[in-house]
Amino acid sequence: MSLSNNQKPTPHVALLPSSGMGHLTPFLRFAGSLAEQNVRVTIITTHPTISLAESQALSHFFSTFPQITPKQLHLLPINDASVNSEDPFYLKYEAIRRSSHFLTPLLSSFSPPLSALVTDMSLASTVIPVTKSLSLPNYILFTSSAKMLTLFVSSHTIIGSKPPNDSDETEEFIRIPGMQPIPKSWIPPPLLSNKPNLLKTHIIENGKMLIQSDGILINTFQNIEHESLAALNDGKVVNGLPKVTPIGPFAPCDFERNKSIAWLDDQPVGSVLYASFGSRTAISREQIRELGDGLVRSGISFLWVVKEKKVDREDELELGEVFGDGFLERVKGKGLVVKNWVRQEEVMGHKAIGGFLSHCGWNSLTEAVWHGVPVLAWPQHGDQKMNAFVVERIGLGMWVEDWGWGGGEKVVRSGKIGEKVREIMGNELLREQAGKVKEEARRAVGDGGSSKKGLIELIEIWNKFI
Ligand code: UDP
Ligand code: UDP
């Protein structure tokens, strides 16, 4: 038990995020909102982090919230060849899995004792057996959309149960119980592949395990994902699934604030397109060049974060080299191209931003929702087509399905990109609708709002475990 200022006992909750900014950021925002409600929070960190962005976010966070305690989980190195993945973020999940025996003594050592542990969906199959053995309530924070959650919890039955080579090649849709059929083209291709791969193993193993958690928390809200949430909570998708509580969109947190990019201050209101594909998506050089050309040809001002490598530490590219001669000269006066990490939250909230060309990582989309910025969706991999569907569905933006997945499926030419950029920036109706979604989001997390109620109810439940 822990005593807050007014001497009322408060629960002590530990959070265990997995790797990558797309997973760390929502955990830190959630931790900030729990601290605001006087919940005592410990964050379990794993070192070294994969990206520089992660280590910087953690250090800003802990200096902004001195009342939140960091605890380190020791990780065993992975030094055998049996783990076959080029993705360092996935290797980190695997390292955490293999080090899970260190979790039992760590979790038992907390003082005051824990009322609950909240972990990432990508660690469910690793962590739930440990918390069960300790009789510690376990909650999952799902960091993507509710639409993606319907696929996540059901893939072991609809995809995983099929023997290899038995996938019905002619079938164009995937049928998730309780949901409208979804085109196969929206499913991350590794999940449909007969070849073993870490994404497939993780989604199937973790998705299967969610039924054994005590509750699923999700960074979304009723107004934008009512149907998926209703199907999940009515037991239509998976019978016996624990309650799914929407508590988002997570408001950006104090530790993320910084001085914004000065160039933006000089641009007219709503005039700039922000283009970024998140923290871990590398784009091919050919596509980067087409995109650059498209942005310049659109005639719209832009702020573009270029990323050629998955991990930011490795991104040592020289922009001149990536684009070839003359490009950066052509950009002058039309836009700003940067290759370093920007504080996206800050950028999106800037009055000059009027549109967002996005890969549709769920955090990026919740940030667009939070600031009412229309989105031009260009999903690249993973859950991003499922999320792009949500963008269109709620009227936040446009998705050109024909552009396909990124990563070499096809190169989208500059003319098409320029055309869509102009379209999104000139669409007044979209801007209005994005403004409405923003108001709904703020109502959801404000006092009396649906997500705020969910959070308060959750804390009340944890109070029973003090
Ligand atoms: N982000 C940022 N600056 C960058 C790139 C990304 O602040 O230069 C943040 C972005 O605001 C978001 C997170 O990193 O909160 C990325 O998560 P998302 O789910 O959008 O995509 P992912 O990177 O996991 O693909
Ligand atoms: N995912 C998962 N287990 C993992 C990693 C990812 O279940 O270990 C799911 C999760 O729903 C995620 C989606 O697969 O949003 C796409 O994963 P990807 O690595 O493409 O994106 P991330 O969210 O990690 O940036």
Side-chain angles (χ1 to χ4, degrees), residues 100-119:
S100 62
H101 53 285
F102 294 132
L103 259 182
T104 308
L106 183 71
L107 294 175
S108 321
S109 72
F110 286 134
S111 172
L114 292 176
S115 305
L117 176 75
V118 182
T119 194

Side-chain angles (χ1 to χ4, degrees), residues 21-22 25 29 274 276 278-281 305 340-345 359 361-364 367 384:
M21 283 301 278
T25 303
R29 290 177 181 163
Y274 169 60
S276 168
S279 67
R280 49 177 258 106
T281 297
V305 186
N340 51 318
W341 184 262
V342 300
R343 300 245 169 167
Q344 177 166 305
E345 196 310 284
H359 74 311
W362 188 246
N363 296 289
S364 292
E367 289 154 14
Q384 295 156 12

Side-chain angles (χ1 to χ4, degrees), residues 19-26 29 53 89 143-144 256 274-281 305-307 310 312 338-348 356 358-367 380-381 383-384 387:
S19 76
M21 283 301 278
H23 297 262
L24 182 61
T25 303
R29 290 177 181 163
F89 297 93
T143 62
S144 184
E256 300 172 67
Y274 169 60
S276 168
F277 294 84
S279 67
R280 49 177 258 106
T281 297
V305 186
V306 178
K307 205 162 177 357
K310 224 177 219 172
D312 49 17
V338 297
K339 62 169 192 168
N340 51 318
W341 184 262
V342 300
R343 300 245 169 167
Q344 177 166 305
E345 196 310 284
E346 193 79 17
V347 169
M348 298 275 269
F356 180 21
S358 172
H359 74 311
C360 295
W362 188 246
N363 296 289
S364 292
L365 294 182
T366 59
E367 289 154 14
Q380 301 288 307
H381 59 90
D383 53 343
Q384 295 156 12
N387 301 344

Side-chain angles (χ1 to χ4, degrees), residues 18-20 22-23 87 89-90 93 120-123 142-145 148-149 152 188 198-199 201-204 206-207 279-281 359 361-363 381-384 387:
S18 71
S19 76
H23 297 262
D87 188 324
F89 297 93
Y90 277 62
Y93 306 146
D120 189 279
M121 71 278 202
S122 60
L123 300 175
F142 194 78
T143 62
S144 184
S145 54
M148 181 63 192
L149 179 57
F152 193 87
L198 277 183
L199 181 127
T201 312
H202 274 286
I203 292 192
I204 288 180
N206 291 314
S279 67
R280 49 177 258 106
T281 297
H359 74 311
W362 188 246
N363 296 289
H381 59 90
D383 53 343
Q384 295 156 12
N387 301 344

Side-chain angles (χ1 to χ4, degrees), residues 175-451:
R175 289 165 209 284
I176 297 175
M179 302 291 296
Q180 292 287 329
I182 54 173
K184 260 191 179 168
S185 63
W186 296 7
I187 307 291
L191 192 55
L192 295 175
S193 161
N194 286 326
K195 291 201 197 105
N197 63 76
L198 277 183
L199 181 127
K200 184 170 175 169
T201 312
H202 274 286
I203 292 192
I204 288 180
E205 292 307 315
N206 291 314
K208 207 180 346 190
M209 206 66 186
L210 292 205
I211 199 161
Q212 294 197 41
S213 71
D214 292 287
I216 301 169
L217 316 177
I218 182 162
N219 182 15
T220 191
F221 60 111
Q222 284 291 354
N223 304 51
I224 62 167
E225 291 210 273
H226 178 73
E227 286 154 18
S228 301
L229 288 166
L232 287 159
N233 277 328
D234 291 348
K236 288 184 182 147
V237 182
V238 171
N239 195 12
L241 193 70
K243 187 172 176 198
V244 179
T245 309
I247 53 171
F250 293 147
C253 211
D254 279 348
F255 78 98
E256 300 172 67
R257 305 258 146 78
N258 203 350
K259 59 176 184 328
S260 57
I261 295 176
W263 176 82
L264 279 178
D265 298 342
D266 300 330
Q267 309 306 316
V269 175
S271 66
V272 177
L273 177 93
Y274 169 60
S276 168
F277 294 84
S279 67
R280 49 177 258 106
T281 297
I283 308 279
S284 74
R285 194 161 282 200
E286 188 182 8
Q287 186 63 79
I288 286 180
R289 288 183 175 183
E290 289 290 338
L291 174 52
D293 202 34
L295 289 173
V296 171
R297 285 167 56 173
S298 73
I300 301 286
S301 298
F302 59 89
L303 167 60
W304 176 23
V305 186
V306 178
K307 205 162 177 357
E308 208 187 26
K309 296 265 163 59
K310 224 177 219 172
V311 180
D312 49 17
R313 268 195 256 265
E314 294 164 5
D315 231 332
E316 285 169 354
L317 79 172
E318 287 303 324
L319 289 178
E321 191 188 311
V322 173
F323 291 109
D325 289 343
F327 177 77
L328 292 174
E329 280 302 310
R330 285 174 59 212
V331 166
K332 275 196 186 136
K334 299 191 174 116
L336 189 65
V337 185
V338 297
K339 62 169 192 168
N340 51 318
W341 184 262
V342 300
R343 300 245 169 167
Q344 177 166 305
E345 196 310 284
E346 193 79 17
V347 169
M348 298 275 269
H350 198 287
K351 60 179 182 14
I353 299 296
F356 180 21
L357 170 59
S358 172
H359 74 311
C360 295
W362 188 246
N363 296 289
S364 292
L365 294 182
T366 59
E367 289 154 14
V369 162
W370 186 255
H371 292 292
V373 179
V375 171
L376 174 54
W378 191 356
Q380 301 288 307
H381 59 90
D383 53 343
Q384 295 156 12
K385 285 194 182 179
M386 300 288 275
N387 301 344
F389 163 83
V390 179
V391 167
E392 277 216 314
R393 174 86 176 67
I394 63 175
L396 182 69
M398 296 187 301
W399 170 24
V400 193
E401 265 199 74
D402 176 49
W403 287 3
W405 294 105
E409 193 180 60
K410 66 166 78 154
V411 175
V412 182
R413 296 296 166 201
S414 59
K416 297 218 158 117
I417 298 172
E419 189 186 306
K420 284 294 160 192
V421 164
R422 274 195 303 279
E423 208 175 310
I424 190 123
M425 294 298 285
N427 190 329
E428 273 310 316
L429 269 180
L430 209 56
R431 217 170 264 213
E432 234 173 75
Q433 177 59 18
K436 282 189 194 144
V437 176
K438 166 181 164 176
E439 297 311 320
E440 286 170 1
R442 291 178 186 231
R443 266 201 299 278
V445 294
D447 286 342
S450 54
S451 291

